[in-house]
Amino acid sequence: RDLWSRKEVPHNLYLQSYSVAIGMADGNILITGGLNSQFTNVTGNVYMYNHESEICIEKAQLNQSRYTHALAQ
């Protein structure tokens, strides 16, 4: 399996500028927050992405929308 080939973005994952992602111990990737391309809307979206199954699950929103923030595991 080629892990370096280009992947399609899952249909339910809305990529934002300045969102933050962190690799979890179980191999999933947690993606949070972001800023739209017009720099007018900060989001509180949270997604859990499984790179093996290429499935992205939307999780509960952040209590406060944010971007350029930090995550710690």
Side-chain angles (χ1 to χ4, degrees), residues 12-72:
N12 63 331
L13 175 60
Y14 301 101
L15 295 177
Q16 302 277 332
S17 298
Y18 304 107
S19 60
V20 176
I22 187 171
M24 306 300 288
D26 62 3
N28 288 325
I29 300 170
L30 181 68
I31 306 164
T32 63
L35 185 62
N36 71 351
S37 60
Q38 291 82 28
F39 302 105
T40 57
N41 186 39
V42 179
T43 182
N45 293 346
V46 177
Y47 300 96
M48 187 68 71
Y49 177 68
N50 181 307
H51 70 90
E52 289 183 6
S53 66
E54 298 183 10
I55 292 175
C56 183
I57 300 171
E58 191 167 358
K59 299 298 203 174
Q61 293 268 322
L62 296 171
N63 288 333
Q64 181 174 344
S65 297
R66 59 193 69 217
Y67 67 102
T68 66
H69 53 289
L71 294 177

Side-chain angles (χ1 to χ4, degrees), residues 1-8 49 54:
R1 178 173 144 145
D2 180 8
L3 298 177
W4 293 98
S5 64
R6 181 181 173 143
K7 303 288 183 190
E8 294 297 320
Y49 177 68
E54 298 183 10

